Amino acid sequence: GESVGLHLPTLSVQEGDNSIINCAYSNSASDYFIWYKQESGKGPQFIIDIRSNMDKRQGQRVTVLLNKTVKHLSLQIAATQPGDSAVYFCAEKSATDSWGKLQFGAGTQVVVTP
Amino acid sequence: NAGVTQTPKFRILKIGQSMTLQCAQDMNHNYMYWYRQDPGMGLKLIYYSVGAGITDKGEVPNGYNVSRSTTEDFPLRLELAAPSQTSVYFCASRSPTGTGNNEQFFGPGTRLTVL
C-alpha cells in the first residue's frame, strides 16, 4: 500500500501466518521492480526483484507478483517471523532510464505479533 | 567486502553551517546514488553518478552538491544547512545496467538534524 504524510500503512500479522504487502506503481513504462526491507535505524536491504516480462518470481519464503494491467505489485511472505517486522518498500525503474534510477513508494510497516 | 559505508552516523548542524556526508563502496560499482528519507516517507533521489567525474541531479537536488573523483567515493555536500534538510541520508551503489545485477546496495545512513 501507499501512504500520505507521516502515517505509514501498517500490516499487523500473526507469527506463522502469511503476509501480503501491496504496492500500486505509477509508470506504465517501468520495466523493473524491486522490494526492499528496512529495519529500524538501518539502510534498506534487497529482498527480491522482478522484470516486467515476468508476472511471478519466488525467493526463499518470499514471492513477488506483478500485474501490469492494473499496475500492481505485491510481496508475499510465507510463515511470517518476528524478524520480518520492518518497513517494506517497493521501487520501480523506468524502461527509458539508463542509469538504474529507482522511484520508491512510501512503504508499509509490517508488525509481527506473537 | 565492507559494502557501502557512510560517515558520520549522526550529526547536528546549526542553520547556515556546512558539512560533507561521506560515502564509500568497495564493490567497484560505477553507479552511486544519494537519497534522503523523511519520517514516514520513501526515499527521494538527490544526486547520482554513473562513474568518476560524471554526476547528475535527481529529484530533490536543491541545497546539495556532489563530486565523484574516484570510483569508490561519492561525498554529498551541504553548503548552507536549513531545517528542511533535517532527514536521514542514504548512499547506494550498483553495477552498471546490463551486467545482470540490478539491485542497489545501501549504506547504513546518516541522521542529520539542522537546528
Side-chain angles (χ1 to χ4, degrees), chain A residues 26-68:
Chain A
S26 54
N27 186 357
S28 55
S30 291
D31 66 348
Y32 172 76
F33 305 87
I34 188 166
W35 282 98
Y36 282 95
K37 172 186 179 184
Q38 187 178 27
E39 295 174 277
S40 182
K42 296 186 177 179
Q45 286 177 280
F46 169 81
I47 303 173
I48 192 166
D49 58 2
I50 188 168
R51 294 188 181 278
S52 59
N53 60 356
M54 303 171 70
D55 52 23
K56 181 178 178 179
R57 190 162 186 229
Q58 287 184 286
Q60 191 175 16
R61 273 201 314 119
V62 294
T63 301
V64 56
L65 299 177
L66 175 62
N67 185 330
K68 294 181 285 295

Side-chain angles (χ1 to χ4, degrees), chain A residues 49-113:
Chain A
D49 58 2
I50 188 168
R51 294 188 181 278
S52 59
N53 60 356
M54 303 171 70
D55 52 23
K56 181 178 178 179
R57 190 162 186 229
Q58 287 184 286
Q60 191 175 16
R61 273 201 314 119
V62 294
T63 301
V64 56
L65 299 177
L66 175 62
N67 185 330
K68 294 181 285 295
T69 305
V70 295
K71 291 190 284 187
H72 184 267
L73 192 67
S74 68
L75 177 71
Q76 299 177 3
I77 305 174
T80 311
Q81 301 168 358
D84 295 326
S85 290
V87 177
Y88 289 80
F89 293 97
C90 65
E92 59 187 297
K93 184 191 83 64
S94 172
T96 59
D97 175 81
S98 303
W99 311 121
K101 299 198 299 292
L102 298 174
Q103 189 78 26
F104 282 82
T108 297
Q109 174 89 54
V110 171
V111 177
V112 181
T113 56

Side-chain angles (χ1 to χ4, degrees), chain B residues 55-97:
Chain B
T55 63
D56 205 351
K57 295 177 181 178
E59 190 182 347
V60 290
N62 291 348
Y64 307 95
N65 267 306
V66 292
S67 59
R68 184 95 181 270
S69 55
T70 66
T71 299
E72 293 77 21
D73 300 296
F74 189 38
L76 177 73
R77 179 92 180 149
L78 282 73
E79 289 294 351
L80 287 170
S84 60
Q85 293 178 303
T86 294
S87 192
V88 182
Y89 291 84
F90 290 102
C91 179
S93 72
R94 59 156 281 174
S95 305
T97 309

